[in-house]
Amino acid sequence: LTEVLRSSMAPLPILLGSVYFAQGFRSLADQRVTLLLKSTFGFSAEDRQLLSLYTHWPWSVKPLLAFTTDNLPIRGQRRRPYLMLMGL
């Protein structure tokens, strides 16, 4: 029984390690963009924070919009009217 558990758990450390690597790699790219905005374009800390707010805003509102479109259909349709409204 322990051999079966060990063999089935073997990929778990590899999976967790690759997830942590991907998270860290994304953070490394974010640091590079921050340095570029600061040194090349002369963005202040407030400007960089505002830019971050604008780029992350859609992902922050997405769960609320998904809940709204699922529970408040317009003329019996759930997503098409909302997509058309967002396109205006």
Side-chain angles (χ1 to χ4, degrees), residues 31-44 47-48:
Q31 289 178 355
R32 189 73 185 134
V33 169
T34 301
L35 181 64
L36 179 75
L37 290 173
K38 180 181 174 185
S39 62
T40 305
F41 298 112
F43 278 32
S44 66
D47 293 337
R48 291 190 311 265

Side-chain angles (χ1 to χ4, degrees), residues 1 5 7 10-11 15-16 25-26 29-30 40 43 45 48 50 57 62 67 69-71 73-74 80-81 83 85 87:
L1 181 64
L5 286 175
S7 66
L15 176 69
L16 292 177
F25 192 73
R26 193 190 79 189
D30 287 345
T40 305
F43 278 32
R48 291 190 311 265
L50 237 138
W57 175 254
K62 188 177 178 179
F67 180 76
T69 60
D70 286 342
N71 292 314
I74 297 176
R80 186 178 296 163
L83 287 171
L85 284 172

